[in-house]
Amino acid sequence: EEPLRYRDVPYFFHVPRTGGSTLKDTLGNCIGVNTTNTTATIQGIYMAKKMEMLKYKKLDLVVTQYLHAGAALFDKKRRGR
């Protein structure tokens, strides 16, 4: 297993109807974690990639229900973990 790096971004695969929305709301509202909003759709994932959203320094967590499409956001410098 590779060690964590500073630029690695936590990647949460949200399976619908399993409490993921509650987790996301709790992390955002109670703890102040900055999550992605645009990755809720395939179109949004592609828009986030085009905008290079992972370069945004205040982004703490990527959340999506589209595991493989969401993985396209990451690269060798900014890995999803």
Side-chain angles (χ1 to χ4, degrees):
E1 188 172 309
E2 295 182 37
L4 290 175
R5 291 186 277 180
Y6 174 73
R7 292 183 181 178
D8 288 350
V9 179
Y11 184 41
F12 178 66
F13 173 48
H14 176 191
V15 178
R17 317 288 288 157
T18 61
S21 295
T22 301
L23 175 67
K24 189 171 80 168
D25 291 344
T26 301
L27 289 171
N29 295 326
C30 298
I31 302 174
V33 171
N34 293 312
T35 65
T36 56
N37 290 324
T38 59
T39 55
T41 65
I42 297 287
Q43 260 185 333
I45 291 169
Y46 291 121
M47 183 176 30
K49 181 155 179 82
K50 185 177 179 180
M51 293 171 43
E52 297 182 328
M53 184 175 285
L54 291 184
K55 290 185 178 179
Y56 181 60
K57 293 179 182 176
K58 294 194 180 224
L59 179 64
D60 298 316
L61 176 68
V62 173
V63 178
T64 187
Q65 65 182 2
Y66 302 101
L67 181 65
H68 297 292
L73 293 170
F74 303 98
D75 57 28
K76 290 181 181 181
K77 289 183 180 179
R78 290 175 182 82
R79 302 177 303 177
R81 301 295 273 201

